[in-house]
Amino acid sequence: MLLVLHPAWTISASKGDCGATKAEAALVVSGAAALAILVQAMLRAGLAVRRRRAAARHGPNETRKRESD
């Protein structure tokens, strides 16, 4: 989805500013995409740590039972 909406595909370089707007928009969108991927990775890592701590506290059977509810 990010590639479809990327300015490289959606903004024309043939008008007026020789592609400067396209280049600046591409940097902004690429930065936002990288930030979104980083946030997702951090959230997944945090969830994995929480699951490991819960399993250590309650045992693996208790954690599985809660996930199935």
Side-chain angles (χ1 to χ4, degrees):
M1 185 57 138
L2 291 173
L3 291 176
V4 172
L5 299 176
H6 197 276
W9 303 108
T10 58
I11 296 176
S12 173
S14 63
K15 293 182 184 173
D17 64 356
C18 299
T21 301
K22 182 177 183 174
E24 291 170 3
L27 284 173
V28 169
V29 170
S30 295
L35 182 63
I37 291 169
L38 179 65
V39 167
Q40 285 181 348
M42 290 174 62
L43 289 173
R44 281 186 177 259
L47 183 60
V49 168
R50 266 197 256 146
R51 284 184 178 165
R52 268 189 254 127
R53 286 181 183 164
R57 237 182 283 137
H58 301 291
N61 292 333
E62 183 72 23
T63 305
R64 283 192 201 121
K65 188 170 35 173
R66 286 184 185 172
E67 288 176 358
S68 65
D69 290 341

